[in-house]
């Protein structure tokens, strides 16, 4: 099954419960998905209970905190999409660097600057903040897409890499 991944701190602001509920809705239809949750934090036990009550046991896994880039690279690369239902932050750039699309909410008043890297229908999507059904529909839409990793990654190559960032800083200083 296609893998949807969340990578980050398991905190209330990340709204991971929305992703679990959207996974339940998605898996009541086709295509079904597997959910990987990578991270640790104060919401972990609550989220594990929610997943146990709402999802089929073999369709989700909590992997805990992973800091090894070799492991993270494999997780991102083999996932169909990375979703952060709360703010996206650097996880979005990390995911896009491996050619893995990103999904997050559309309320820019509660987003991090990295949300600007998401190009709708090119390298990810934005769903209506807090809307579980819209997130599920967006997941289904994206799972049915066929995109090249090189196209997803293009924004990193053009805007979000150390060379471009250095040039931007240099231009600001000069």
């Amino acid at each position: 099954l296609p893998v949807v991944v969340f990578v980050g701190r398991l905190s209330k602001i990340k709204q991971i419960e929305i992703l679990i509920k959207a996974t339940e809705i998605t898996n009541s239809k086709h295509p079904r998905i597997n959910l990987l949750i990578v991270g640790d934090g104060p919401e972990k036990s609550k989220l594990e209970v929610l997943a146990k009550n709402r999802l089929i046991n073999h369709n989700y896994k909590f992997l805990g905190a992973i800091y090894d880039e070799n492991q993270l690279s494999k997780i991102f690369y083999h996932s169909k999409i990375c979703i952060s239902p709360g703010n996206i932050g650097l996880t979005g750039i990390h995911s896009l660097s491996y050619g893995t699309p990103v999904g997050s909410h559309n309320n820019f008043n509660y987003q991090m600057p990295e949300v600007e890297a998401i190009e709708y229908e090119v390298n990810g999507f934005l769903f209506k903040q807090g809307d579980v059904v819209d997130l599920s529909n967006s997941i289904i839409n994206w799972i049915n897409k066929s995109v090249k990793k090189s196209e997803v990654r293009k924004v990193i190559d053009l805007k979000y890499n150390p060379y471009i960032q250095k040039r931007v800083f240099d231009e600001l200083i000069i």
Side-chain angles (χ1 to χ4, degrees):
L1 296 178
V3 174
V4 171
V5 66
F6 168 86
V7 177
R9 183 140 172 81
L10 306 185
S11 62
K12 201 165 200 61
I13 197 165
K14 293 298 183 177
Q15 301 178 2
I16 304 151
E17 70 280 355
I18 293 172
L19 180 56
I20 292 170
K21 292 173 184 177
T23 299
E24 177 185 32
I25 294 168
T26 302
N27 283 346
S28 70
K29 305 172 185 176
H30 281 81
R32 292 180 36 209
I33 61 172
N34 284 327
L35 175 63
L36 286 181
I37 297 177
V38 178
D40 203 351
E43 295 290 303
K44 185 177 183 179
S45 58
K46 177 182 161 189
L47 294 168
E48 286 175 328
V49 169
L50 181 65
K52 183 179 181 182
N53 290 336
R54 291 188 171 250
L55 303 177
I56 298 169
N57 202 10
H58 61 274
N59 286 120
Y60 74 92
K61 188 160 184 113
F62 285 80
L63 298 179
I66 298 175
Y67 301 103
D68 181 294
E69 189 60 30
N70 188 42
Q71 286 182 286
L72 286 171
S73 68
K74 291 174 185 169
I75 291 168
F76 279 123
Y77 189 82
H78 293 291
S79 295
K80 184 73 174 179
I81 192 160
C82 175
I83 298 176
S84 184
N87 56 33
I88 189 64
L90 288 173
T91 296
I93 302 300
H94 202 178
S95 181
L96 292 170
S97 295
Y98 288 104
T100 301
V102 175
S104 192
H105 72 76
N106 66 352
N107 186 342
F108 293 104
N109 292 325
Y110 296 96
Q111 271 295 1
M112 304 299 282
E114 294 83 0
V115 74
E116 293 177 13
I118 299 174
E119 298 174 20
Y120 187 75
E121 297 292 325
V122 174
N123 66 5
F125 65 82
L126 298 171
F127 70 96
K128 185 177 177 187
Q129 184 183 29
D131 190 329
V132 175
V133 173
D134 190 40
L135 176 54
S136 174
N137 290 336
S138 297
I139 290 169
I140 291 167
N141 180 49
W142 197 267
I143 294 299
N144 288 319
K145 285 182 155 305
S146 177
V147 295
K148 293 181 180 176
K149 288 199 173 282
S150 60
E151 287 300 311
V152 171
R153 197 186 134 68
K154 194 178 281 186
V155 71
I156 299 299
D157 296 335
L158 295 174
K159 294 182 181 179
Y160 297 96
N161 65 67
Y163 306 108
I164 300 297
Q165 295 299 305
K166 180 187 179 307
R167 190 179 76 208
V168 169
F169 286 129
D170 288 346
E171 289 173 1
L172 289 172
I173 292 172
I174 296 174

